[in-house]
Each structure stands twice: as C-alpha cells, then as structure tokens.
Amino acid sequence: MKGSRPGKLPPPSPTSDGGRVCAAPGCSTRLSIYNLGSACWQHADLVFPNYRGKRLAEGKA
Ligand SMILES: [Zn+2]
C-alpha cells in the first residue's frame, strides 16, 4: 500500500477567495475580508472623500 501523499499545494492566486487588493493604482495592499470598500483604509479616504458620508451634527447628540 502506498502512503498517502500530502499532495501539491495550490499555487497562490492573485484573485483567490477574499484576496482582493486595493483599487488605488500602484497599491497592492490586500483588503481585509471585513473591508467592504474597494480600497485599503489608507486610500479609502483619498479615493472616496465622502466615503464616511456626512459627519454627524456637531454639538448635537
Ligand atoms: Zn491602497
């Protein structure tokens, strides 16, 4: 009987599950699966100035 081999590991795929990268040009930062945006947190504010939407009224709770 032949021993079971561990088998070959799948090659690293740039588009693997949850392997998204920042949409900013030149940025290859991998996005977290919890990051619903298309850019990393560093570029999110630059690419999407209004990403966070309007700020809550100051002074009022
Ligand atoms: Zn980025």
Side-chain angles (χ1 to χ4, degrees):
M1 262 190 178
K2 290 182 180 178
S4 60
R5 286 175 142 184
K8 290 182 180 177
L9 291 173
S13 178
T15 55
S16 60
D17 261 4
R20 300 176 303 141
V21 294
C22 179
C27 183
S28 58
T29 300
R30 287 188 63 180
L31 300 181
S32 170
I33 58 176
Y34 302 108
N35 186 344
L36 301 180
S38 56
C40 70
W41 65 272
Q42 289 190 73
H43 288 120
D45 289 335
L46 299 177
V47 180
F48 306 106
N50 299 324
Y51 179 75
R52 292 178 181 174
K54 284 186 176 181
R55 295 186 70 180
L56 296 177
E58 296 178 1
K60 266 197 170 181

